Amino acid sequence: MDPSVPDPPEMLTSPPPHMTPDEFRQHGRAVIDWIADYWERVESLPVASTVAPGDIRAMLPDAAPEEAEPFEHLLADLDRVVLPGVTHWQHPGWFAYFPANNSPPSVLADTVSAGLGLIGLLWSASPAMTEIESHVLDWLVDLLSLPGHWKTTSTGGGVLQGSASDATHVALVAARHRASARSGLPATQMVAYTSAQAHSSVEKGANIAGFGVVRLIETDEHRAMRPDVLRAAIEADAAAGLVPAFVGSTVGTTGTTAVDPVRAICAIAREHELWHHVDAAYAGTAMICPEFRRHQDGIELVDSYVFNPHKWMMVNFDCSAFYVAEREALTEALSIDPPYLRNAQSDAGNVIDYRNWQVPLGRRFRALKLWWVLRSYGAAALRQMVRHHVAMAQELAQRLDDDPRFEIVAPHPFSLVCFRCSPADDFQTSQEAADRATDAVAAAVNDSGVAYLTPSKLDGHSIIRVAIGQSRTDREHLDRLWKTISEAAV
């Protein structure tokens, strides 16, 4: 034996020690107490983290510990290491991006899901995972007045994806599969179309799916996709030998919450045999209120649809509801059946295997938190929250309209308001000055610690997005935001 090689360690004859059930109970109560305390004090914390790059890593040891540490040390490092580097999405002064709300029942459900430790490969791996998911997503069809044929009891069905980006990617894969079967041509000759205001996930998903071309369609004065421009682009591409395969429209764009004309786009998509996918990631929750459903006119004609309960429905990330009108169109594109995943119920077609509705094989018990939130709040309270946020957004818009220092730059059908500082006249120098003033207002708000919002660009000029949707936000927080904006403006 080579003396330079150390002897192998003795084989372990028992598993490593775990917390005892009593220790787990004790530490679990401490964690729940820490979370509850965090929710109580979050408003006293500055919304945005103020650490510099590398500050958090500098507090961590160079190597992983060789021996176990007391759990109390782990809990203490939530305050010492983690919180200084947290930007508080659950702060009532959160007006950035879109909301990403959690809630007590959702957090508790995620804890149960982690404790169960299930991997939903297929129905037989844990039947409750699949059947609760199918049933709760069917509930949402009724609650949001979505088409009845999207239920799992009909030809379509819903599935929980990790994000709207995942859902869009899956829709693009299904569109590619259908177009390939129809044309016999490769994905490199296929074209995907979407609005110039659509989320970047459409472009990214099309690139991943191998589409040869992505066309960003011009929008109108309301920032909505122009059907006439879409039709012209499809006809030109078809004449050039390309395969128009997918069109993505949006109900509530990320930039301004513009609403594309879904029905008019459906007519074009059906005429030219394109897969039509609708992204309502943020605004879909608003459809629980009947007065907003006019924005999804024509939805019964689309091939797929996504909205995120993890944005505005108090279900913590990740929980993205994706629906298809014909589930076979999806599963034909995604199904692979190795022998180790075969079983009698799946082979007989008696059950849904959600692994065939997504890219990954494994999946978590996401439906549990959606189920608990719907049951803990009820539809009436969710409607109340949406209407409260929309009313505050309209109030903010009125304040901006009444102040000559500001101008609203896009319609605000939901609870996002986009504005900028008003230019003094039409000269370029005035536009540049307005951009600088707008940037300065955004920076002042975000440096204040009491609120956080998103600076952005529209038509090449600076704007500010104010997304009112954090579940704890009330009028006092709106007043505080307005005071900070007003004091920062020239």
Side-chain angles (χ1 to χ4, degrees):
M1 181 176 290
D2 187 347
S4 65
V5 178
D7 293 334
E10 294 183 9
M11 297 296 292
L12 294 174
T13 58
S14 63
H18 296 293
M19 288 181 191
T20 66
D22 282 343
E23 288 172 332
F24 180 75
R25 289 186 183 96
Q26 175 190 347
H27 298 322
R29 292 187 187 105
V31 170
I32 293 296
D33 283 345
W34 188 92
I35 295 171
D37 289 344
Y38 169 71
W39 286 340
E40 286 183 329
R41 63 185 167 129
V42 65
E43 189 171 351
S44 68
L45 303 172
V47 186
S49 171
T50 59
V51 301
D55 283 355
I56 301 302
R57 292 195 66 170
M59 289 190 279
L60 303 176
D62 291 337
E66 184 65 26
E67 302 297 334
E69 297 182 45
F71 188 81
E72 290 77 12
H73 291 188
L74 279 61
L75 198 60
D77 276 350
L78 291 177
D79 290 302
R80 186 183 71 89
V81 178
V82 176
L83 276 188
V86 168
T87 291
H88 301 284
W89 290 61
Q90 305 310 311
H91 195 292
W94 179 264
F95 300 101
Y97 307 111
F98 281 128
N101 294 333
N102 65 22
S103 62
S106 181
V107 170
L108 292 174
D110 243 2
T111 303
V112 173
S113 175
L116 290 172
L118 308 179
I119 305 295
L121 305 174
L122 60 169
W123 176 88
S124 62
S126 282
M129 284 186 64
T130 295
E131 298 195 14
I132 290 172
E133 183 165 335
S134 297
H135 200 76
V136 173
L137 284 166
D138 284 356
W139 278 0
L140 288 177
V141 168
D142 292 332
L143 285 173
L144 277 61
S145 193
L146 301 175
H149 63 278
W150 289 6
K151 290 186 176 183
T152 51
T153 52
S154 185
T155 58
V159 57
L160 292 177
Q161 304 279 356
S163 69
S165 299
D166 292 331
T168 298
H169 179 209
V170 167
L172 282 153
V173 170
R176 180 190 67 193
H177 182 80
R178 191 167 74 178
S180 178
R182 183 180 76 246
S183 68
L185 295 174
T188 51
Q189 289 185 246
M190 295 180 189
V191 188
Y193 306 85
T194 196
S195 159
Q197 291 291 314
H199 193 271
S200 58
S201 61
V202 179
E203 291 183 79
K204 184 173 183 177
N207 290 336
I208 294 170
F211 278 66
V213 182
V214 179
R215 302 247 185 259
L216 302 182
I217 302 302
E218 179 184 340
T219 60
D220 61 20
E221 68 276 14
H222 302 298
R223 314 295 174 181
M225 189 193 306
R226 287 182 51 184
D228 59 327
V229 177
L230 172 65
R231 179 185 293 278
I234 290 172
E235 291 174 352
D237 286 334
L242 298 174
V243 182
F246 172 94
V247 58
S249 56
T250 309
V251 175
T253 59
T254 300
T256 66
T257 61
V259 177
D260 290 333
V262 173
R263 186 173 294 279
I265 295 169
C266 280
I268 298 169
R270 289 199 163 195
E271 178 184 347
H272 294 278
E273 299 184 280
L274 277 71
W275 183 286
H276 185 187
H277 173 68
V278 170
D279 178 353
Y282 153 72
T285 294
M287 305 309 156
I288 200 169
C289 302
E291 63 267 29
F292 297 109
R293 293 173 187 165
R294 60 189 174 86
H295 295 296
Q296 61 182 18
D297 176 53
I299 204 74
E300 72 278 3
L301 302 174
V302 307
D303 296 287
S304 58
Y305 174 93
V306 64
F307 91 99
N308 290 341
H310 67 233
K311 279 190 167 65
W312 203 6
M313 201 176 265
M314 292 193 286
V315 181
N316 55 285
F317 188 85
D318 55 351
C319 185
S320 185
F322 176 60
Y323 289 93
V324 287
E326 298 288 341
R327 59 177 169 264
E328 287 186 2
L330 180 67
T331 57
E332 285 177 2
L334 295 173
S335 294
I336 295 178
D337 293 308
Y340 51 83
L341 294 177
R342 300 287 295 274
N343 64 86
Q345 296 294 350
S346 297
D347 288 348
N350 296 330
V351 297
I352 288 176
D353 285 336
Y354 276 130
R355 66 184 178 85
N356 295 326
W357 297 49
Q358 61 179 31
V359 174
L361 173 61
R363 56 202 326 272
R364 300 185 303 107
F365 198 175
R366 297 186 183 101
L368 188 65
K369 57 190 172 185
L370 178 58
W371 187 38
W372 279 22
V373 166
L374 291 173
R375 295 174 66 192
S376 296
Y377 288 95
L382 296 175
R383 291 189 192 100
Q384 179 182 349
M385 180 189 67
V386 168
R387 287 167 174 155
H388 178 56
H389 290 152
V390 172
M392 286 193 289
Q394 304 315 310
E395 184 176 327
L396 174 63
Q398 188 62 55
R399 294 184 188 189
L400 291 163
D401 264 340
D402 292 343
D403 193 320
R405 294 175 298 171
F406 306 110
E407 63 176 358
I408 294 175
V409 298
H412 40 89
F414 305 109
S415 66
L416 176 78
V417 180
C418 298
F419 72 97
R420 67 184 300 228
C421 293
S422 298
D425 51 47
D426 292 332
F427 294 103
Q428 183 65 32
T429 54
S430 177
Q431 294 285 350
E432 292 172 354
D435 286 345
R436 289 193 297 271
T438 302
D439 293 340
V441 169
V445 172
N446 288 347
D447 290 343
S448 71
V450 302
Y452 195 70
L453 44 72
T454 308
S456 188
K457 296 283 186 182
L458 188 66
D459 298 333
H461 292 292
S462 297
I463 67 166
I464 294 172
R465 295 171 71 262
V466 177
I468 301 174
Q470 210 292 317
S471 59
R472 297 170 179 84
T473 300
D474 208 342
R475 277 186 168 76
E476 64 181 286
H477 308 106
L478 179 66
D479 290 342
R480 196 174 301 153
L481 171 68
W482 174 250
K483 182 175 184 291
T484 309
I485 289 171
S486 187
E487 289 176 352
V490 177

